Amino acid sequence: MLKWALFFAVVAIVAGLLGFTGVAVGAAAIAKFLFFLFLVLFVVFLVLGFVVAKKVVD
């Protein structure tokens, strides 16, 4: 998922440089959404990992 966010960020930068503002805005919005989705899932799984590891150790 992070790979796709980086891909859309690069597409947004290239489209912005070439003057395709509509495409750049759309790609940037998709990249931002995917990046924040990645961060939320990362934090959720990190917390779940600590909770499960604590239960296993106890």
Side-chain angles (χ1 to χ4, degrees):
M1 186 178 331
L2 187 58
K3 206 183 298 187
W4 280 105
L6 291 173
F7 170 75
F8 279 108
V10 170
V11 168
I13 291 170
V14 171
L17 289 174
L18 295 176
F20 300 115
T21 56
V23 175
V25 170
I30 292 171
K32 186 189 296 186
F33 173 75
L34 289 175
F35 179 72
F36 285 119
L37 182 64
F38 168 79
L39 282 180
V40 168
L41 289 175
F42 174 75
V43 170
V44 166
F45 283 114
L46 187 67
V47 169
L48 283 174
F50 282 128
V51 170
V52 170
K54 186 175 180 182
K55 286 184 181 180
V56 171
V57 173
D58 290 340

